[in-house]
Amino acid sequence: PNYQAGKDAIAGFKRFFPGEIVGEIYTSLDQTDYSAEMAQIRDANPEVVFQFHPGGLGIAFLRQYQQAAYYVKESLELRKELGDLSGVARLNNNLGLLGLMSGDLHGAQANFYQGIELLEKVGDTEGIALANINLGLVKYDLGEYESAQVHLEKAVSISQHIGHRFYLGLGNMYLGRLQSAQADHARADELLAQ
């Protein structure tokens, strides 16, 4: 929302996000209908959506974002028809995120794997790193810790190679969370300190 905590959250995100910011949308503090914002997000077709809304506003936003999945699927079919592999990969990752947020972990996993396959074809290493982070989260939530670790370590390795500090920090943070869940607190502290 358009108030100090929202602006601070965006500033913190932008400080470490090295990718291109394709837009910023600030909503009012009492807003519960985000249809205009969903249309703007759909038109921009970003790889990442950072959202900050407190309490019930956040729940309302996420519910409407999930409902927008229908339009993402329509856009996915159009991009497939046009042969836009990069766009199809990004939309698969967005569908994966929607699945992750809604609890459809197996659907999310399938979308992330499809996205990685296409990202590898077009040579988008940054996208591959992000998709592996997301797959690591899905595997973590499924209790498949070894597989989660493989994906997160791959994301960290790629992020180090391309110098992507934000994804590197994110990958290490989730690796730390994974180590902590497995009661390896010393390793978790080491990863979180990076």
Side-chain angles (χ1 to χ4, degrees):
N2 192 8
Y3 78 121
Q4 194 58 50
K7 291 176 182 178
D8 289 346
I10 293 289
F13 173 78
K14 288 168 57 177
R15 181 174 168 208
F16 293 104
F17 183 72
E20 177 188 357
I21 306 290
V22 296
E24 292 181 36
I25 303 170
Y26 293 91
T27 60
S28 65
L29 202 48
D30 60 350
Q31 183 174 340
T32 56
D33 178 10
Y34 301 103
S35 55
E37 289 76 15
M38 295 301 155
Q40 288 177 306
I41 292 168
R42 185 183 65 241
D43 291 343
N45 191 26
E47 289 185 37
V48 175
V49 174
F50 175 81
Q51 174 263 341
F52 175 83
H53 286 91
L57 298 176
I59 293 168
F61 181 90
L62 288 175
R63 281 189 180 141
Q64 291 172 46
Y65 191 76
Q66 288 174 317
Q67 291 168 351
Y70 169 78
Y71 299 106
V72 172
K73 289 176 184 173
E74 278 188 353
S75 182
L76 179 68
E77 293 308 312
L78 177 62
R79 290 192 185 273
K80 282 180 182 177
E81 289 176 22
L82 295 172
D84 178 7
L85 292 182
S86 182
V88 171
R90 272 188 269 134
L91 288 167
N92 269 310
N93 285 333
N94 286 339
L95 284 171
L97 288 171
L98 289 169
L100 184 60
M101 288 188 291
S102 68
D104 178 12
L105 300 179
H106 295 288
Q109 177 177 260
N111 280 301
F112 290 134
Y113 277 128
Q114 289 172 11
I116 286 175
E117 183 179 323
L118 293 172
L119 291 165
E120 287 173 344
K121 285 183 182 178
V122 298
D124 183 351
T125 53
E126 186 175 304
I128 294 167
L130 178 59
N132 272 288
I133 289 170
N134 291 329
L135 259 175
L137 293 176
V138 169
K139 296 293 190 177
Y140 176 89
D141 286 348
L142 288 170
E144 299 174 15
Y145 293 149
E146 286 182 28
S147 185
Q149 185 166 343
V150 167
H151 287 290
L152 291 170
E153 286 176 348
K154 183 172 184 177
V156 166
S157 175
I158 292 169
S159 300
Q160 284 175 327
H161 179 72
I162 63 174
H164 200 297
R165 291 178 43 210
F166 182 74
Y167 291 169
L168 179 61
L170 203 56
N172 277 323
M173 180 184 75
Y174 289 128
L175 274 170
R177 177 178 160 198
L178 176 63
Q179 296 300 322
S180 183
Q182 295 176 313
D184 188 351
H185 300 293
R187 179 73 178 131
D189 290 342
E190 177 186 323
L191 287 165
L192 293 172
Q194 292 181 6

